[in-house]
Amino acid sequence: MQPSDKRPLNLRRQSIYLLPNSFTLAALFAGFYAIVQAMNHRFEPAAVAIFVAMVLDGMDGRVARMTNTQSAFGAEFDSLSDMVSFGVAPALVAYEWMLRGFGKLGWIVAFIYCAAAALRLARFNTQLEVADKRFFQGMPSPTAAALVAGFVWISLEAGWTGEAIRWGALVVTAFAGLTMVSNVRYYSFKEINVRKTVPFFVLLPILFVLVAIAANPPIALFALFVVYALSGYVLALWNRLKPANKA
């Protein structure tokens, strides 16, 4: 006779999908690593680690969909990982790098960013079933993290110092945080079908972006995310002016 599984039913069901959650765990590690490096005043590795977390965060969901391994556990785990990697980590990196010099104002701005990331993720999770899939409401937290980390990285790479950079860090962190909880809409790119055929020339912009990133990663990545961060405001302005144009 085969031995029966006498474990309670709820324990037998407490299993998870290994592959997508491994990517999420790696993204969480990258965010934690960024915090540790910031505490050791190694800000360039901290900034790079946040970008690594972005790549890993983008892969876990796609891997789950490709392998049909989506789960409620994975969705919750992903949100908690995002909070660390794109909420806590960028706020602490910015604070330890430049915002500490502002005293109370510095940690208030860092907390505003951190709280905004939590609110942004909570709002996103509660609107999954009713939100327009084509757009994000508020800037996505990975983009906000990329703005903060990118500004740190590009400043260190270029050797920028001084009062202007301190205020720049303050403004970028505040802008990223407040835009996350705004009602500004950002295109989600979820309608793009990668299996659909496209004209040959569509590959050229992708080629230029890849070459730019390879040539100078800090400048290229920061510029790319600045353009996306501003695109929401441009779209909002365009929608506001459209009725006037029709009139």
Side-chain angles (χ1 to χ4, degrees):
M1 295 179 60
Q2 293 291 335
S4 61
D5 189 350
K6 296 182 179 180
R7 291 178 300 169
L9 184 61
N10 61 333
L11 291 180
R12 278 183 280 153
R13 288 180 176 175
Q14 287 178 358
S15 57
I16 60 173
Y17 292 110
L18 179 61
L19 186 60
N21 289 300
S22 295
F23 282 99
T24 306
L25 184 62
L28 176 60
F29 173 79
F32 180 77
Y33 180 82
I35 294 172
V36 172
Q37 294 305 306
M39 292 170 63
N40 292 324
H41 289 194
R42 300 183 68 234
F43 299 111
E44 189 167 350
V48 173
I50 291 174
F51 280 99
V52 171
M54 289 181 56
V55 175
L56 294 168
D57 178 69
M59 293 176 66
D60 61 0
R62 286 168 176 78
V63 168
R65 287 189 290 272
M66 289 172 58
T67 57
N68 196 27
T69 53
Q70 303 101 315
S71 66
F73 175 89
E76 294 298 327
F77 188 27
D78 182 67
S79 292
L80 294 172
S81 174
D82 287 354
M83 183 58 210
V84 173
S85 299
F86 309 132
V88 178
L92 289 179
V93 170
Y95 178 75
E96 290 291 337
W97 178 54
M98 282 290 176
L99 301 188
R100 180 187 288 273
F102 287 101
K104 184 182 292 187
L105 177 62
W107 67 256
I108 287 175
V109 169
F111 175 72
I112 287 174
Y113 175 93
C114 188
L119 293 169
R120 168 70 176 78
L121 289 166
R123 182 174 67 179
F124 176 79
N125 290 339
T126 56
Q127 294 181 348
L128 278 175
E129 302 300 326
V130 297
D132 187 345
K133 302 298 183 184
R134 297 173 300 167
F135 297 96
F136 294 120
Q137 184 180 3
M139 185 163 60
S141 57
T143 303
L147 286 180
V148 176
F151 187 76
V152 174
W153 193 7
I154 195 175
S155 299
L156 293 170
E157 189 77 11
W160 295 340
T161 56
E163 197 69 16
I165 298 303
R166 288 178 64 235
W167 282 99
L170 190 80
V171 170
V172 169
T173 306
F175 169 81
L178 294 176
T179 305
M180 277 192 285
V181 292
S182 69
N183 289 323
V184 177
R185 299 201 305 169
Y186 285 85
Y187 187 60
S188 67
F189 299 101
K190 291 183 178 180
E191 287 192 327
I192 296 178
N193 186 358
V194 294
R195 297 182 180 179
K196 185 179 179 181
T197 58
V198 294
F200 175 76
F201 68 85
V202 174
L203 286 174
L204 293 179
I206 300 176
L207 174 63
F208 291 144
V209 169
L210 292 175
V211 170
I213 293 174
N216 197 319
I219 293 178
L221 290 172
F222 184 64
L224 186 67
F225 284 104
V226 165
V227 169
Y228 183 70
L230 296 178
S231 69
Y233 290 95
V234 172
L235 179 63
L237 181 62
W238 172 256
N239 289 333
R240 185 178 291 270
L241 294 177
K242 266 199 308 187
N245 291 338
K246 289 182 179 179

